[in-house]
Amino acid sequence: MRTRFSVDPLPLETKHEFRISRVGSKTYENLVFTAEVDALVGRGETAPREFYGEDLPKAREALGRFLEEADEFPDRLGDLVAAKDPRAADRAIAAALALYDRIGADPAGRTALDGSLYDLAGKALGLPVFRLVGADPKKMPATSFTIGIASIEETRKKVEEAKGFSILKIKLGTDRDEETLKTVRALTKLPLSVDANGGWNLAKARERLKLCAEHGVRFVEQPLPQGAYDDLARLHEGAPVPIFVDEDVKTSEDVAKVAGRCDGVNVKLAKTGGIREALATIAAARKNRLQVMLGCMIESSLMIAQAAHIAPLVDHCDLDGHLLLAKDPFVGLGFADGKIVLPDRPGLGVEPRKA
């Protein structure tokens, strides 16, 4: 069995500056992990972000250390490509990730490794990843299109660009919140959600939730700073719109901290460390009677595909990171009627764009 691995930077640029309450940028650098086993190639992407305690050098270093020290990793890949059914493939993926957790132990690096393993498993079995995880593409939720923080004029342009989407997600968390929300609502009758990215204190959050209710917002995401659990419980009591949390839940272990304090959680591969832990986080949320949203960062179609294959298992989707790019370096995902269309090809079903 011939194996080869690589860890490569993936520079990305958005069409417009993408700004939230904390930061804004037009250029991003993600990372791609590639594992080749004979003729099979598995790829996975990660999007390390500072506010999750991650960065690119740490992810690269962790993956490099893992490849140097994990002598048994090729054997785990051999078990993976020799698997005869999804259950055997899942056991092989779990064993490889457990090995990484002992040596690499970086969640951002884990996300890229995890994605490559699922891609390989699907290709080895001749199955798309959604079949490996038991997801039904017919149950794919519509995905929202995100309107980042911008001037009112720029906001108008972004709303115009959102044609083809059935839901808009509005980033708030500035002194222009009311004007922004009124501007968007005047331009469209589409359902809206709001994400404050922890930009409000309790008093302001109460005011903003009333404003959101007046404009028919479906739910508000992360209204308070991360870790403000007591204030979150106070805000949730009698809230006029449902509250979801994002930064407060990274993995399945965090779900219990917000149970009873909100209505739903935003699960992102960038936080969980990949598909396998995302599935565990979804299960934990369901156990605690919480709704589930699947979100993303600025990502190419590769990482969006990693999330999209499990998206039929959740209630809401915000998987538009690849659609905000000036040029997507990967191809293969479809989009129709406001929903991502999963490729019915083995693995993740996306490949590098040809030059």
Side-chain angles (χ1 to χ4, degrees):
M1 183 181 71
R2 181 185 65 84
T3 60
R4 191 176 76 86
F5 314 107
S6 64
V7 181
D8 302 295
L10 183 68
L12 301 174
E13 182 176 344
T14 54
K15 298 173 186 176
H16 308 285
E17 181 188 41
F18 186 73
R19 179 166 290 279
I20 63 176
S21 63
R22 291 186 297 263
V23 293
S25 182
K26 195 175 180 180
T27 58
Y28 298 82
E29 190 164 327
N30 290 1
L31 203 65
V32 173
F33 180 83
T34 303
E36 298 182 33
V37 182
D38 294 331
L40 297 177
V41 180
R43 298 181 181 88
E45 180 182 344
T46 189
R49 295 296 180 261
E50 185 177 351
F51 50 86
Y52 293 138
E54 304 168 351
D55 63 46
L56 200 68
K58 283 170 58 179
R60 179 187 289 277
E61 190 274 334
L63 287 168
R65 185 172 67 253
F66 171 68
L67 293 176
E68 288 178 2
E69 300 180 19
D71 295 336
E72 61 199 271
F73 182 49
D75 293 335
R76 301 288 76 76
L77 289 184
D79 295 339
L80 179 62
V81 299
K84 302 300 183 183
D85 57 56
R87 288 187 178 182
D90 183 68
R91 289 194 294 270
I93 290 172
L97 291 175
L99 182 61
Y100 176 82
D101 289 341
R102 291 198 299 271
I103 298 173
D106 175 79
R110 192 182 199 271
T111 300
L113 174 63
D114 171 283
S116 73
L117 296 174
Y118 275 94
D119 196 24
L120 269 178
K123 289 173 178 175
L125 290 170
L127 297 172
V129 170
F130 65 77
R131 295 195 189 281
L132 293 181
V133 300
D136 182 356
K138 295 178 182 178
K139 297 181 179 180
M140 176 70 74
T143 191
S144 55
F145 182 81
T146 304
I147 309 294
I149 292 173
S151 67
I152 296 303
E153 181 180 354
E154 191 70 22
T155 296
R156 290 193 180 99
K157 291 180 182 179
K158 291 182 178 182
V159 173
E160 289 296 322
E161 289 180 4
K163 293 178 181 178
F165 288 83
S166 55
I167 305 164
L168 298 184
K169 176 176 174 176
I170 315 302
K171 294 284 189 177
L172 298 182
T174 74
D175 293 337
R176 300 194 308 274
D177 285 349
E178 184 170 2
E179 185 181 9
T180 297
L181 195 51
K182 286 182 177 179
T183 297
V184 174
R185 181 45 85 207
L187 292 171
T188 180
K189 294 181 180 179
L190 290 176
L192 303 178
S193 66
V194 157
D195 185 2
N197 286 110
W200 301 328
N201 59 28
L202 179 58
K204 184 165 287 187
R206 283 173 168 157
E207 294 175 1
R208 295 294 192 258
L209 259 60
K210 291 178 182 177
L211 177 68
C212 288
E214 292 170 4
H215 288 83
V217 170
R218 298 188 311 159
F219 60 84
V220 173
E221 187 181 339
Q222 199 65 41
L224 300 172
Q226 179 181 346
Y229 301 121
D230 291 341
D231 280 351
L232 183 63
R234 296 185 186 99
L235 183 65
H236 183 237
E237 186 175 352
V241 295
I243 296 172
F244 279 56
V245 296
D246 176 359
E247 287 85 348
D248 278 316
V249 171
K250 293 182 180 179
T251 68
S252 57
E253 295 180 356
D254 298 321
V255 173
K257 300 174 186 177
V258 300
R261 293 178 165 90
C262 63
D263 301 283
V265 299
N266 185 353
V267 176
K268 294 179 180 175
L269 300 193
K271 298 184 296 181
T272 64
I275 294 170
R276 203 166 196 278
E277 179 57 25
L279 292 171
T281 307
I282 291 169
R286 297 301 191 200
K287 183 179 179 181
N288 284 278
R289 299 182 180 180
L290 293 168
Q291 294 186 59
V292 182
M293 175 183 182
L294 195 61
C296 66
M297 313 303 292
I298 298 299
E299 305 165 0
S300 80
S301 287
L302 176 59
M303 191 168 176
I304 293 294
Q306 291 164 224
H309 277 273
I310 66 172
L313 303 174
V314 308
D315 306 294
H316 308 282
C317 268
D318 181 36
L319 298 179
D320 63 341
H322 62 313
L323 300 173
L324 303 175
L325 298 177
K327 185 176 182 179
D328 189 344
F330 286 85
V331 296
L333 282 183
F335 183 78
D337 301 323
K339 299 179 181 181
I340 289 176
V341 179
L342 291 171
D344 196 14
R345 294 186 292 276
L348 293 171
V350 299
E351 299 294 337
R353 183 185 297 275
K354 294 181 180 179

